[in-house]
Amino acid sequence: MPPAPATATDDAGGTGSGRRRPSLLLVTDLAYEARGRRYGDEDVFLSSRLRETFDVALCHPRDAAALLEGFDLALVRNSGPVLHHRQAYDAFRARARGLATPVYNPLDGRGDMAGKEYLVEMDRAGLPVIPTVDRAADLGRLPDVPRYAVKPKLGADSVGLRFVTAAEARAELGRAAEGSLLVQPRIGFRHEVSFYFVDHDFQYALYAPDPERRWELEPYAASAADLEFARRFIAWNSLTHGIQRVDACRTVDGALLLVELEDLNPYLSLDRLPEDVREAFVSRLTRSITSLLRHPRPARSACGGPGAV
């Protein structure tokens, strides 16, 4: 005789308590192609580990708003640049707020989640960032270099990035909608390094020893000074929960400058980590997500009635 099907009263621990495990909607684009990285592989791995604690379903960002109501929490992971699905992302944010469903990361980040305006603000405030302006009138504040980087404030993953002369940068700012572009000097640097945090706790660092092969990352032993630099930006952002990645470059004179504060869906490069570091990260992330959850919704019967047993 085949075994009887599980009922709504059979929870993950087999206690028959009538309560199910919390449900998590993992928003990702498994098919997104990123140079030198495999977004889908990372989220397949991460979802497999999160299933030890949550009931997990994966969905594309274009489907997130429609599906959200059935879940206790949403986790935004490698969903690709928002500019590819801006309308769907805005609808998801509005739906999450309307339902009061927790989103991880929370929706009030001040870094890349809100666009790259923060780089201009930080530069004006004298923080250690790559010099950045968004108006033609301010181009004189930048160092005099042969080439400049021009990129959209709402860009990500190098989408829209171009290297141009000063005259071309001025012309592009003149043609673009006011405040929509950033201009930075193209500076020489030794390497890029990224610092990864869960909540305000440092987890690990990775760097690319060869600037010409920036996706070939290796574990990096962060110094006390490095972490002081990175934590300055984590504190500035003021997120109480979430994954944040502080991307920096080390200049030829040894200083660190912020490249990006990624607080929306930072790629984690988990495949580049030693197993013990990767496991520690997953454990810390699980605890952080759990701390955001309200009481899970009651179990449903096969008929779908709320609270049925």
Side-chain angles (χ1 to χ4, degrees):
M1 178 181 295
T7 69
T9 57
D10 294 328
D11 62 12
T15 62
S17 65
R19 293 185 64 83
R20 60 168 173 78
R21 301 193 306 169
S23 58
L24 186 152
L25 183 66
L26 197 160
V27 182
T28 180
D29 182 358
L30 296 178
Y32 180 74
E33 295 184 8
R35 185 175 60 180
R37 298 165 293 174
R38 295 180 61 87
Y39 280 8
D41 288 356
E42 179 166 281
D43 282 347
V44 167
F45 164 77
L46 194 58
S47 65
S48 72
R49 296 305 312 279
L50 291 172
R51 280 194 182 92
E52 297 172 9
T53 304
F54 309 99
D55 291 336
V56 179
L58 281 66
C59 81
H60 190 276
R62 295 186 188 277
D63 304 322
L67 297 175
L68 184 60
E69 187 171 4
F71 292 84
D72 298 309
L73 179 139
L75 170 64
V76 179
R77 284 304 311 131
N78 294 315
S79 53
V82 167
L83 68 119
H84 294 332
H85 43 78
R86 182 81 238 180
Q87 187 175 358
Y89 177 66
D90 289 343
F92 164 71
R93 288 171 60 96
R95 185 66 170 153
R97 287 183 167 131
L99 294 171
T101 301
V103 178
Y104 197 100
N105 288 352
L107 299 175
D108 54 352
R110 300 170 63 197
D112 265 29
M113 188 183 299
K116 297 184 186 296
E117 171 67 24
Y118 68 93
L119 293 170
V120 179
E121 296 174 4
M122 287 179 174
D123 184 37
R124 290 173 179 164
L127 292 172
V129 304
I130 294 179
T132 308
V133 300
D134 61 354
R135 300 185 304 169
D138 292 334
L139 283 172
R141 297 179 53 242
L142 300 181
D144 184 12
V145 296
R147 306 288 282 179
Y148 295 83
V150 176
K151 53 189 172 183
K153 279 187 182 177
L154 295 179
D157 209 19
S158 298
V159 173
L161 172 66
R162 301 174 303 286
F163 293 105
V164 301
T165 66
E168 290 168 335
R170 186 176 300 278
E172 291 215 28
L173 287 175
R175 288 192 301 267
E178 183 176 356
S180 63
L181 294 179
L182 299 177
V183 178
Q184 299 173 319
R186 189 174 191 181
I187 62 175
F189 56 89
R190 297 182 189 174
H191 59 246
E192 292 183 82
V193 58
S194 295
F195 306 92
Y196 300 75
F197 290 77
V198 172
D199 302 344
H200 284 208
D201 296 335
F202 171 70
Q203 300 300 301
Y204 58 90
L206 295 168
Y207 82 126
D210 183 352
E212 299 302 318
R213 307 175 77 173
R214 55 187 304 225
W215 305 126
E216 295 188 10
L217 299 176
E218 299 178 7
Y220 175 83
S223 69
D226 293 336
L227 294 182
E228 182 180 3
F229 165 89
R231 287 192 171 110
R232 187 173 183 180
F233 297 103
I234 298 298
W236 175 90
N237 200 9
S238 70
L239 277 181
T240 56
H241 292 79
I243 304 169
Q244 297 184 72
R245 192 186 72 213
V246 178
D247 293 339
C249 64
R250 191 172 303 278
T251 63
V252 293
D253 64 2
L256 284 177
L257 293 177
L258 182 74
V259 174
E260 181 175 81
L261 177 57
E262 176 56 82
D263 61 355
L264 173 59
N265 53 1
Y267 184 68
L268 304 171
S269 299
L270 295 177
D271 60 327
R272 304 290 181 170
L273 299 177
E275 183 177 1
D276 60 333
V277 177
R278 184 167 55 247
E279 292 302 310
F281 173 85
V282 172
S283 177
R284 183 64 182 85
L285 175 62
T286 301
R287 295 198 308 272
S288 181
I289 294 172
T290 302
S291 72
L292 279 190
L293 284 167
R294 302 165 298 178
H295 294 298
R297 294 181 178 88
R300 294 178 179 269
S301 71
C303 297
V309 295

